[in-house]
Amino acid sequence: MVELVLFVITAVAALAGAVTVVTARNPVHSAMGLFGTLFSLAVIYVVNLAHLVAAVQVIVYAGAVMTLFLFVIMLIGVDKAEDTSEHLPRQRTLVAVLGAAVGLVVVALIVSGRFVWVPAGGGDVEIPNGTVQAVAEPLFTTWILAFEVTALLLTIAAAGAIALAYFKRGLIREEHE
Amino acid sequence: MDAIDLLIVVARVVVVFALLLVVTLLNVWLERKIVADMQNRIGPDRAGPFGILQTLADGMKLFFKEQVTPRKVELGVYLLAPFLAVIPALLTFMVVPWGRPIEIAGRVVPLQGTDLNIGLLFILAMSSVGVYAVVMAGWSSGSKYPLLGGVRATAQAISYEAAMGLSMVAVVMFTATAGDGGTLSLAEIVARQQGSWGDALGIPALGWIPRWNLFPELVAFGIFLIAAVAETNRAPFDLVEAEQELVGGFHTEYSGIRFAMFFLAEYINIFTMSAIATTLFLGGWNGPTWEGTVPAVVSAVLPTVWFLVKTYAIILVFFWVRATLPRLRYDQLMQLGWKRLIPGAFVWLILSTVVIGIRQFGWPWT
C-alpha cells in the first residue's frame, strides 16, 4: 500500500517534470523540471531497494550534471529570440506514430493482463549482501574489462574537453589572454 | 514490524529533528559569543543568562517580520528555494550515529536516524541537492547581486565536493582493512574505530592512542575540514554572501522567516559537517564509558556526550577560523580547490592505497 502511494506520487512528479522540460518557456524552468524528474526516479529506485542506484542517480545526474546545466544557462544567459524552427523533416509525424505504438503496447499489456505486480521491498526485508557490496562484487570481477574500458573512455573524453578548450586551430592559447 | 517498532522509528526521526534545532539555537549564540571574545568585545548579553536566549529572540522577531517580495522575482522558484535549503540540511544528519545503541525492554534502539548501506553516498547526494537552494534563490531574486552569489555558489560547490569526496574515499579504503570488507555505512565505520591502536598493531606501548582514523588519515582529515568549510560557505570561503561586494549574496532579496530558513540551514550544515568529520575521523561516539563502575544510565549516555564533545571541538575550529582568517579572493578560492586540494587529495589517496596494499598483500617482490 505504502509502495503504491509512493509510486503514484513519484510517477506523477516525474511526468510533470518531463512535461515542464518540453513546455517551459524559460530554460531555467526546463532544467528544474529535469531535476524533478531525475529526483523522482531516484525515489522510485529507493522504493525498490536499489539504494546505490538512487544515490548515484542523485549525485551524478541531479547533482553534478544538472548543476552544470544551470551554471551554463545562468552564466551565458539565453537569447530570448531563440530559433525554434525544426530541422528534422517529418519530426512531428514520426513522434506521433512512435508514441501511438508505445501507447498501444501498454494498452495491450493491460488488456491482456499478462503482467504481474512485483512487490518491492518493504521496511522489514533484509538486504542479503548489502547493495553496494552486491553491485561491487560482479563489477570488479566478471565485468572488470567493461569497467576499465569505460574508465578509459571517460579519461579520453576529459582529455578531449581540455584539448578543445586549450588548443585552437593548432595554436596554444596564451595564459590569461 | 509492529506498532512499537514504528513508534521507535518516528521517535528517532523526531529526536534528530529536535536535536538539530536546539543545537542551532545554541550555536548561533555560541559563535557570536566566541567571536566577540576573540575580538575583545562582549557580544550578546541581554536575553537570558549570558545572552543565551538571544537567538530565540532573533528567531521570534524574524517570524513576525514583514516578508518583502520584490516585484521582479520568479515567484514559484523564489518561494521554493528556502525549503530546498532546509530539507537536505535536516536529512543529511539522519544517517549520522550520535550514540551507542541502547537497549530498552529487550529492543535494541540505534541512536541514529537510520543506518543506510550507502550512508556516505547519501551525504554527498544531499549536499549536492543543497546547492540548488542557493542557485535557485540567487537566480529567482531577479537582481544582480544574488545572481552573482548563486553562480559563485555553484562553482564553489562543484570544486570542493570533489576534494571532499576524495578524502572520504581514503577513509573508506582504510576502513575496509579494519574489518570484513568495505563499508559505506556510518554506524559500521564508527564500530571499526573501537579499541586502541596499541591492540590493533600489537604494540602495547601505544595502548593509550584510540583507534581513530584521524592518525593514519591525518592529511585526509585536513582536506576534509577545508572542504567542509567551503561546502558550508563559511568564512574564509564565504564568497557566496560576501557582504562588501555582494550586499548579502544569494539571500539579499529574502526577509523575515524565509531568510531565517537559509540561516537555519547554514547552521545545521555546520553542525552536520562537524558530526560527519567526527564520525569519519574521530571515532564517532567511541570513548571510555567505565562500564560496571558507574550506573548503567551514565555509561549509556556517555557515548552521546563524547560525540557532542568531539563535534563541538570541530565546530570551535570553524568559529576560530572565521574570526581569524580574511576572505579569499575568488581566483584564489578556485586555485586552492583545483590546484592544491584536489591534486593533494589524489596524491594522498595513492599513497594511502600503496600502504594499505603492502600491509594487506605484502611487498610485490616477495
Side-chain angles (χ1 to χ4, degrees), chain B:
Chain B
M1 188 138 162
D2 55 6
I4 298 176
D5 278 330
L6 201 66
L7 207 67
I8 290 175
V9 170
V10 172
R12 272 155 59 184
V13 173
V14 170
V15 165
V16 170
F17 187 72
L19 177 83
L20 285 175
L21 292 185
V22 171
V23 152
T24 303
L25 279 183
L26 282 178
N27 282 355
V28 176
W29 166 78
L30 193 68
E31 171 167 26
R32 293 178 66 178
K33 212 61 181 166
I34 284 173
V35 173
D37 277 348
M38 287 181 178
Q39 296 170 341
N40 233 344
R41 296 183 285 117
I42 295 173
D45 70 338
R46 298 287 113 174
F50 307 109
I52 200 164
L53 298 178
Q54 184 64 45
T55 323
L56 204 62
D58 288 343
M60 296 294 268
K61 184 193 77 179
L62 285 172
F63 238 113
F64 294 116
K65 250 182 131 172
E66 184 194 359
Q67 302 192 25
V68 183
T69 310
R71 209 180 310 152
K72 275 190 160 181
V73 298
E74 287 270 341
L75 202 61
V77 182
Y78 176 81
L79 295 180
L80 187 67
F83 294 96
L84 214 64
V86 173
I87 292 169
L90 288 170
L91 282 178
T92 316
F93 196 81
M94 288 295 162
V95 294
V96 178
W98 47 274
R100 195 177 57 180
I102 50 173
E103 214 178 301
I104 304 171
R107 285 171 204 272
V108 178
V109 182
L111 295 185
Q112 184 181 15
T114 175
D115 181 25
L116 286 181
N117 180 261
I118 50 155
L120 268 182
L121 293 179
F122 180 79
I123 290 170
L124 286 176
M126 281 304 124
S127 80
S128 64
V129 171
V131 181
Y132 275 90
V134 179
V135 176
M136 284 164 69
W139 176 77
S140 67
S141 293
S143 91
K144 51 180 172 287
Y145 292 126
L147 181 65
L148 280 173
V151 169
R152 281 184 179 185
T154 326
Q156 186 172 331
I158 294 175
S159 311
Y160 282 81
E161 218 169 52
M164 177 180 264
L166 285 172
S167 64
M168 281 181 178
V169 171
V171 174
V172 169
M173 295 200 15
F174 186 81
T175 310
T177 63
D180 179 29
T183 181
L184 293 175
S185 142
L186 292 184
E188 185 63 25
I189 289 175
V190 170
R192 290 186 186 181
Q193 296 181 61
Q194 267 161 5
S196 77
W197 276 113
D199 298 335
L201 299 172
I203 309 167
L206 295 179
W208 54 276
I209 301 179
R211 196 180 176 183
W212 295 349
N213 288 336
L214 172 70
F215 302 111
E217 296 288 343
L218 195 61
V219 176
F221 179 64
I223 292 169
F224 182 90
L225 219 54
I226 296 172
V229 176
E231 279 281 295
T232 47
N233 296 330
R234 296 272 307 171
F237 303 117
D238 60 342
L239 289 117
V240 175
E241 42 195 291
E243 294 88 357
Q244 292 85 347
E245 356 175 339
L246 293 183
V247 190
F250 67 93
H251 56 56
T252 307
E253 306 293 356
Y254 284 87
S255 51
I257 193 67
R258 293 183 201 137
F259 165 74
M261 284 168 85
F262 281 117
F263 200 69
L264 178 71
E266 179 179 333
Y267 276 83
I268 291 177
N269 280 332
I270 294 167
F271 184 72
T272 309
M273 277 298 168
S274 310
I276 293 165
T278 303
T279 307
L280 291 181
F281 295 98
L282 301 182
W285 45 260
N286 284 315
T289 52
W290 297 289
E291 212 86 39
T293 53
V294 289
V297 180
V298 176
S299 58
V301 172
L302 265 174
T304 306
V305 174
W306 292 128
F307 172 78
L308 286 175
V309 167
K310 292 171 190 174
T311 306
Y312 268 94
I314 293 176
I315 289 180
L316 287 182
V317 173
F318 269 64
F319 293 166
W320 179 29
V321 164
R322 185 208 140 161
T324 333
L325 294 178
R327 182 182 301 129
L328 267 70
R329 228 172 40 222
Y330 189 68
D331 58 321
Q332 291 171 333
L333 174 89
M334 283 297 139
Q335 292 207 346
L336 178 69
W338 288 100
K339 295 189 179 168
R340 304 258 150 56
L341 281 187
I342 293 178
F346 263 121
V347 169
W348 177 254
L349 186 61
I350 292 167
L351 276 179
S352 175
T353 315
V354 168
V355 172
I356 290 168
I358 290 171
R359 275 190 61 195
Q360 198 118 348
F361 306 111
W363 298 93
W365 53 82
T366 51

